[in-house]
Amino acid sequence: MNRAIPYRTIDTKQSLVSAAFRGSGSWRDVSASVSESAAIVFARRGCCMSHVVKRLLLGLGANPAVYEVEEDEESGVVEELEAIAQLGNGKVELPAVFIGGALFGGLERVMATHISGDLVPILKQAGALWL
């Protein structure tokens, strides 16, 4: 019988994201992890909307990297994600989904794209799905 890869979140206390915000890592580490991963979700710890995004992507067969952000680190994480996404005066909100190294959007964009049937082809093109 086939078994799925177990779901696991990355604790921000040990992740590249929190290391960069605490000064023990570099912003380039965060930027590199976003650009090198097919799908990454930056989520608030314990947030129901973040849970929905993670479960939807897992249900489709994508296994995104998940960075759970503590409440006290949220403003710094959002600032760095805005710099990575190069939005200018735009605002990144959590949960933030990066697909193929680019900011895809939050819960509303992920759900709308899934309902329209365009999410699976986008994930395939980014290399997050192999089917």
Side-chain angles (χ1 to χ4, degrees), residues 7-59:
Y7 172 73
R8 184 174 70 110
T9 59
I10 299 170
D11 185 10
T12 57
K13 291 185 181 1
Q14 299 173 358
S15 72
L16 294 173
V17 175
S18 65
F21 301 119
R22 292 196 183 106
S24 59
S26 71
W27 176 80
R28 291 184 190 112
D29 294 337
V30 177
S31 179
S33 66
V34 168
S35 64
E36 292 172 359
S37 298
I40 298 180
V41 177
F42 291 90
R44 286 184 188 102
R45 185 176 298 274
C47 174
C48 61
M49 294 187 300
S50 300
H51 179 75
V52 169
V53 168
K54 292 183 285 190
R55 295 301 300 172
L56 174 63
L57 292 173
L58 285 170

Side-chain angles (χ1 to χ4, degrees), residues 43-98:
R44 286 184 188 102
R45 185 176 298 274
C47 174
C48 61
M49 294 187 300
S50 300
H51 179 75
V52 169
V53 168
K54 292 183 285 190
R55 295 301 300 172
L56 174 63
L57 292 173
L58 285 170
L60 292 173
N63 193 13
V66 177
Y67 294 100
E68 291 189 340
V69 179
E70 296 291 338
E71 190 174 332
D72 59 340
E73 298 176 337
E74 187 174 331
S75 62
V77 172
V78 168
E79 288 175 12
E80 293 298 327
L81 293 177
E82 288 172 354
I84 291 169
Q86 300 174 350
L87 293 178
N89 57 1
K91 179 99 170 101
V92 172
E93 295 182 6
L94 299 178
V97 179
F98 285 79

